Amino acid sequence: MSTNDNINDLESVLFNEDEINSRLDELSECISKQYGKSKLTIVSIMNGSLMLTAGLISRLRIAFDLRCLNVESYYGETKSKGDVFINSKKMPDLSGRSVLIVDDIFDTGKTLKEVIKRINSECNPLEVSCFTLLKKKKQRQVNIAPDFVGFEVEDSFLVGYGLDYQGRYRNLSVIGNLKKEVIANPST
Ligand code: 5GP
Ligand code: MG
């Protein structure tokens, strides 16, 4: 089975593997330069940033520590309901660390806002920045924004490279929009 076995369910591909890889080359270079002298901890938001985190850390040329947080943001079919749940009773100790939170996509911003709030109030970091592969062009109620962004995208529902629809399509090596009929009639 190829890693792109669900690719026929896409209406269009926004970013192919080469485009994602070359953008990650650029951004990882930037992050390696910026954090070269820091005590860096990458905090990866699971599950959506699994592919992104692997892609990013495999390119970094600097020392860092990796932590994962399991975060659920409740999605109706394809829209955020705005409730964010951090599935971790004990947050990591990040005293004196420069923290880079890595998430797949910046949509309403509520996930990152909540994660930043918890890290600042419970983990004692030196500083906190955020990296998202995608950022939707839209008005938001939150007063935060990612410091590093792979691509700005129109406000539509995307899958692939970690992003899922009902648990599927995370394995796609491209990012795209699902066909409307797939959203209406998801196969199992
Ligand atoms: P936010 O809290 O910024 O609204 O959304 C953050 C989370 O919602 C992301 O980490 C991601 O898991 C999910 N999300 C937001 N937009 C999309 C999208 O277009 N496609 C998918 N598959 N998930 C999304
Ligand atoms: Mg997510």
Side-chain angles (χ1 to χ4, degrees):
M1 194 189 289
S2 107
T3 50
N4 278 340
D5 62 325
N6 296 319
I7 205 161
N8 294 335
D9 288 353
L10 295 185
E11 179 75 52
S12 59
V13 170
L14 264 67
F15 305 104
N16 65 32
E17 209 172 338
D18 287 345
E19 289 168 320
I20 296 170
N21 283 335
S22 63
R23 189 68 183 123
L24 286 182
D25 287 343
E26 288 170 5
L27 284 166
S28 57
E29 188 61 34
C30 209
I31 289 167
S32 291
K33 277 192 190 131
Q34 180 148 336
Y35 291 97
K37 295 195 174 101
S38 311
K39 290 181 181 165
L40 174 64
T41 297
I42 291 177
V43 174
S44 170
I45 309 296
M46 290 291 135
N47 295 328
S49 78
L50 181 63
M51 299 267 274
L52 171 62
T53 302
L56 175 68
I57 67 174
S58 61
R59 288 170 166 83
L60 292 182
R61 298 175 285 103
I62 54 173
F64 63 89
D65 184 29
L66 176 67
R67 300 294 175 126
C68 296
L69 282 183
N70 206 291
V71 180
E72 287 171 48
S73 41
Y74 291 101
Y75 248 62
E77 279 289 283
T78 57
K79 287 257 184 285
S80 168
K81 289 183 177 165
D83 300 323
V84 178
F85 179 67
I86 302 179
N87 221 338
S88 170
K89 282 199 190 108
K90 193 173 180 306
M91 297 287 284
D93 179 8
L94 299 169
S95 303
R97 310 286 303 182
S98 295
V99 173
L100 181 64
I101 302 168
V102 174
D103 202 8
D104 47 9
I105 189 163
F106 189 64
D107 182 13
T108 64
K110 289 180 177 163
T111 300
L112 279 185
K113 186 177 176 194
E114 187 60 28
V115 171
I116 292 170
K117 194 173 108 192
R118 282 284 295 272
I119 287 180
N120 276 327
S121 63
E122 295 175 34
C123 309
N124 192 31
L126 182 64
E127 52 171 358
V128 179
S129 300
C130 302
F131 171 26
T132 65
L133 182 61
L134 302 164
K135 179 182 176 192
K136 290 186 185 174
K137 293 178 195 162
K138 67 195 292 178
Q139 292 269 327
R140 294 185 179 80
Q141 293 167 359
V142 301
N143 56 355
I144 52 138
D147 307 86
F148 303 91
V149 172
F151 306 102
E152 294 229 14
V153 292
E154 297 303 326
D155 186 9
S156 69
F157 183 74
L158 303 173
V159 295
Y161 204 75
L163 290 160
D164 74 307
Y165 175 59
Q166 299 189 339
R168 291 185 60 197
Y169 305 103
R170 291 192 198 278
N171 58 319
L172 293 185
S173 54
V174 304
I175 294 168
N177 291 102
L178 277 180
K179 288 177 180 162
K180 287 197 177 58
E181 60 264 32
V182 175
I183 293 175
N185 303 300
S187 57
T188 49

